[in-house]
Amino acid sequence: MYTGEIISISVALSWTITALCFEYGGKRIGALSLNIIRLGMSVIMLGITLWVCTGYFLPVAAGAKAWFWLGVSGFIGYVLGDYCLFNSYLLIGSRFGQLFMTLAPPSAAIASFLIFGEKMSGFALLGMFITLFGIGLSVFAKGEEKADKWKLKLPLKGVLLGIGAGVGQGVGLVFSKLGMEYYIQDADPQSGLESFLIPFASTQIRGIIGVTGFLIVMMYTRKGKALLQSFRDGRAMIAATGGTIFGPFLGGILLPDGCPIY
């Protein structure tokens, strides 16, 4: 009865573990290199899973519309959102970085309202207000003197990156839902792609677009040498592997799997 809720709690636990791993890895090799490595790992992990279950390494059953909307989701959620998230880790740490990820549900609710016309209940609006109020209490502090005004106790750049991460994750999830709905329509029963594998395949598409986007950024910023040097850092690679298993792989699968689209 509470399958969606259980999955959501599992996602929260999974992303907490991955946040700690990626904060450590990002401080050693940088956010850009870490994003390319962990998304590349996740694409391979998901591909192996699909190959074992269906005989295909890539999601061949997906049509053009599924690829497009899942690609949009990957660009917003991974390239934009995770770029902000990983850089926020470097400025404000994973604890506050994950705090701003609580903006994802309100952002998803607003995006769903604008895109799908889904209405929000009074309790949903109240929850959004409580979330925003809680974030405000966490990042603002009042000076010691009575005349002092409330001010940020975190770097402004880190706060803005955290907001971008939460909003990117929420909006990306909405487009992921749309892409999976098209994927369900495209899936051929003869392809061996069962319904429980669609989140795997959908997450792989998002990962392919994500790693492609980060590679373009890497070429533009000419940081290819830094990426190659990252593979020599054993501790960073261990952190990247652990974070990938609990993040883009397990977390990325469970997150869309908890969406009520079936």
Side-chain angles (χ1 to χ4, degrees):
M1 181 181 295
Y2 299 103
T3 303
E5 289 80 358
I6 294 173
I7 290 175
S8 297
I9 294 173
S10 300
V11 170
L13 177 60
S14 176
W15 284 100
T16 299
I17 296 173
T18 198
L20 297 174
C21 292
F22 286 155
E23 179 187 5
Y24 177 80
K27 288 180 178 179
R28 295 185 68 91
I29 62 176
L32 180 58
S33 295
L34 182 60
N35 268 305
I36 293 173
I37 291 170
R38 59 105 184 185
L39 284 176
M41 286 181 177
S42 71
V43 169
I44 294 173
M45 292 179 186
L46 291 164
I48 292 173
T49 302
L50 290 174
W51 178 72
V52 170
C53 296
T54 69
Y56 296 99
F57 184 82
L58 294 174
V60 295
K65 290 184 178 180
W67 268 93
F68 175 78
W69 290 114
L70 288 169
V72 170
S73 172
F75 178 77
I76 296 175
Y78 285 153
V79 181
L80 299 181
D82 282 359
Y83 179 82
C84 291
L85 179 63
F86 281 51
N87 281 282
S88 73
Y89 287 164
L90 304 180
L91 294 173
I92 60 179
S94 59
R95 181 166 65 94
F96 281 108
Q98 284 299 296
L99 171 67
F100 283 103
M101 292 302 287
T102 58
L103 290 172
S107 300
I110 294 173
S112 293
F113 171 74
L114 296 175
I115 297 172
F116 299 114
E118 296 181 356
K119 297 181 179 180
M120 291 177 283
S121 66
F123 282 109
L125 295 173
L126 177 62
M128 293 171 59
F129 173 79
I130 293 174
T131 298
L132 295 174
F133 183 72
I135 293 175
L137 288 178
S138 299
V139 302
F140 284 95
K142 193 173 183 180
E144 297 181 358
E145 300 296 332
K146 292 183 178 180
D148 289 346
K149 297 180 180 181
W150 288 87
K151 58 183 180 181
L152 282 172
K153 60 181 181 181
L154 298 173
L156 177 60
K157 184 178 180 180
V159 171
L160 294 176
L161 287 170
I163 293 173
V167 173
Q169 182 67 244
V171 176
L173 179 60
V174 173
F175 285 111
S176 177
K177 175 183 176 181
L178 180 60
M180 284 194 295
E181 288 178 343
Y182 281 113
Y183 205 153
I184 292 171
Q185 297 174 14
D186 296 333
D188 181 0
Q190 301 300 323
S191 67
L193 185 70
E194 303 293 339
S195 61
F196 78 93
L197 287 172
I198 288 180
F200 288 78
S202 299
T203 303
Q204 190 190 38
I205 293 175
R206 297 179 73 225
I208 290 171
I209 300 301
V211 74
T212 302
F214 280 120
L215 285 172
I216 293 173
V217 173
M218 184 201 69
M219 290 187 291
Y220 179 77
T221 56
R222 299 181 180 179
K223 292 185 177 181
K225 186 177 180 179
L227 175 62
L228 294 177
Q229 291 176 342
S230 299
F231 292 100
R232 301 176 183 176
D233 192 324
R235 293 183 178 181
M237 292 303 296
I238 291 173
T241 302
T244 300
I245 292 173
F246 286 99
F249 184 61
L250 292 179
I253 293 166
L254 292 172
L255 187 60
D257 197 32
C259 297
I261 63 172
Y262 298 114

